[in-house]
Amino acid sequence: MCDIAPDLRKGKIRMNCFLNVVFGDGRMQYKEQRMANTLGNLDEDDGIPVHLKGGIADALLYRATMILTVGGTIYAIYQLALASFPKKQG
Amino acid sequence: MTHQTHAYHMVNPSPWPLTGALSALLLTSGLVMWFHFNTSLLLLMGLTTNMLTMYQWWRDIVRESTFQGHHTPIVQKGLRYGMILFIVSEVFFFSGFFWAFYHSSLAPTPELGGYWPPAGITPLNPMEVPLLNTSVLLASGVSITWAHHSLMEGNRMHMMQALLITILLGLYFTFLQASEYYETPFTISDGVYGSTFFMATGFHGLHVIIGSTFLIVCYLRQLNYHFTSNHHFGFEAAAWYWHFVDVVWLFLYVSIYWWGS
């Protein structure tokens, strides 16, 4: 019912129709505001890849993940080297 | 200006396959360090990076679909095939454990006493908590179907109620199964009975937790108006997975709990 020849790029059209049917105009504006403000401008053609497009929080989380994975890999290889040459007992 | 001459979604270059693969390395080597050297740092790093990867990868998929509109009907069809193939692979995964169970239970060796359940094993009564667990999962299958129909009909409140009921039933199952695990008179080390019982039911329980998590994510997305009445593949994928988990339990109940007692 709310899929008027859906232009899927414009998610807001889908949502507006749904909200209008269920809530009427007043609530629609409030909900639209909430949804639009949830993230930065994901629609903008600014060349930023999707995993960084949400802003500074994305970049921080990405860096933390990379540091942990790459650092962890180095640590794992170090432990492997350590375990490969067991120290003699006594 | 360039444009693609095919209908498929070419995603932006992403770091998550790499971090996912590295997290798998940390998980496996972390297990080795924990088992053999009693240190858990690597394992912890593996779990953390695994969770981080999954969160960000799926977050990006939600951005690409709900906010950028890349999931056209053709793209969605590919996702459907993908989910179906993944569930088929899980069917094969569980088949292995059922094979192991039937291999040992259909022809019990002299070491077991020549009968099943083996000597010394007191199996759980299938008419008690396991039967309750069966009814819980079957009911959750009904409630998730109600949720789906409500979603398709545009009934937001009913959809959320039904999905919440499904999630609560899933959590109830996990709680019941955990308390059963605590109460069993046998352990995983108790011969082939213990091994087959806990490997099969243990992996099933893990899948219930995964499925419940998937449903909770769907609930949060529904709260934020991500789904429409005829485009909600994330929810459908969760529902398929949930039904799969339910069916596996039915096989477990009939084979291991009921016939196996």
Side-chain angles (χ1 to χ4, degrees):
Chain A
M1 180 184 174
C2 285
D3 254 27
I4 337 146
D7 181 356
L8 289 166
R9 292 201 157 270
K10 300 202 173 99
K12 281 180 191 171
I13 290 184
R14 278 203 325 258
M15 191 200 62
N16 286 355
C17 171
F18 177 76
L19 286 169
N20 206 14
V21 165
V22 177
F23 291 115
D25 273 313
R27 299 266 294 266
M28 173 180 75
Q29 281 151 13
Y30 169 69
K31 296 293 182 196
E32 182 181 336
Q33 198 72 33
R34 257 183 62 190
M35 194 165 156
N37 287 344
T38 310
L39 287 158
N41 293 322
L42 288 171
D43 272 348
E44 260 181 62
D45 191 7
D46 48 16
I48 299 177
V50 71
H51 68 278
L52 295 171
K53 225 163 161 70
I56 196 81
D58 283 5
L60 290 174
L61 207 56
Y62 162 74
R63 276 190 211 192
T65 310
M66 265 309 177
I67 288 169
L68 280 172
T69 47
V70 173
T73 302
I74 295 168
Y75 179 56
I77 295 170
Y78 163 71
Q79 288 289 357
L80 173 62
L82 221 58
S84 304
F85 301 101
K87 288 193 163 48
K88 289 196 185 122
Q89 298 298 322
Chain B
M1 181 160 119
T2 57
H3 67 279
Q4 65 182 37
T5 53
H6 60 79
Y8 304 106
H9 178 207
M10 303 302 288
V11 299
N12 298 145
S14 168
W16 312 130
L18 175 64
T19 62
L22 291 178
S23 78
L25 169 68
L26 300 186
L27 280 169
T28 46
S29 56
L31 278 172
V32 170
M33 292 303 292
W34 186 48
F35 289 159
H36 294 277
F37 301 103
N38 201 27
T39 60
S40 44
L41 176 61
L42 252 185
L43 182 58
L44 241 74
M45 288 175 80
L47 287 165
T48 309
T49 51
N50 197 237
M51 296 293 135
L52 282 170
T53 301
M54 290 193 290
Y55 169 74
Q56 291 170 98
W57 195 333
W58 282 319
R59 173 207 67 191
D60 289 352
I61 294 174
V62 169
R63 288 179 177 178
E64 289 158 3
S65 56
T66 305
F67 297 106
Q68 294 182 331
H70 287 295
H71 286 194
T72 61
I74 291 176
V75 169
Q76 201 191 120
K77 196 165 186 222
L79 293 170
R80 286 175 188 275
Y81 277 128
M83 191 65 193
I84 288 167
L85 287 171
F86 173 64
I87 292 177
V88 167
S89 79
E90 295 253 74
V91 168
F92 281 109
F93 179 70
F94 276 97
S95 298
F97 295 115
F98 279 99
W99 185 341
F101 168 73
Y102 278 113
H103 174 91
S104 295
S105 59
L106 284 169
T109 61
E111 288 86 352
L112 303 175
Y115 48 81
W116 192 276
I121 296 286
T122 322
L124 298 169
N125 186 343
M127 296 303 154
E128 292 180 358
V129 175
L131 185 59
L132 173 61
N133 272 344
T134 305
S135 65
V136 165
L137 284 185
L138 285 174
S140 72
V142 170
S143 59
I144 199 171
T145 305
W146 171 29
H148 192 198
H149 283 268
S150 302
L151 179 55
M152 290 189 289
E153 290 158 20
N155 193 331
R156 181 177 167 79
M157 278 299 123
H158 277 197
M159 190 280 185
M160 286 168 64
Q161 274 175 31
L163 183 53
L164 188 61
I165 287 170
T166 310
I167 291 166
L168 290 174
L169 286 169
L171 295 174
Y172 186 37
F173 176 95
T174 303
F175 166 75
L176 285 169
Q177 191 70 329
S179 73
E180 277 286 270
Y181 268 30
Y182 190 72
E183 295 293 335
T184 53
F186 54 87
T187 72
I188 197 172
S189 314
D190 286 326
V192 75
Y193 183 90
S195 300
T196 51
F197 180 89
F198 284 106
M199 286 301 278
T201 62
F203 271 112
H204 174 262
L206 176 64
H207 283 69
V208 171
I209 292 168
I210 292 167
S212 301
T213 308
F214 199 168
L215 291 172
I216 289 169
V217 168
C218 284
Y219 187 81
L220 294 172
R221 292 188 68 197
Q222 169 70 352
L223 268 178
N224 287 302
Y225 299 91
H226 288 197
F227 300 132
T228 70
S229 57
N230 68 352
H231 188 168
H232 44 260
F233 176 65
F235 175 80
E236 288 185 60
W240 291 349
Y241 195 78
W242 193 251
H243 288 304
F244 158 72
V245 157
D246 188 5
V247 169
V248 169
W249 172 258
L250 294 174
F251 276 92
L252 277 176
Y253 180 72
V254 167
S255 306
I256 297 182
Y257 284 93
W258 196 356
W259 177 83
S261 68

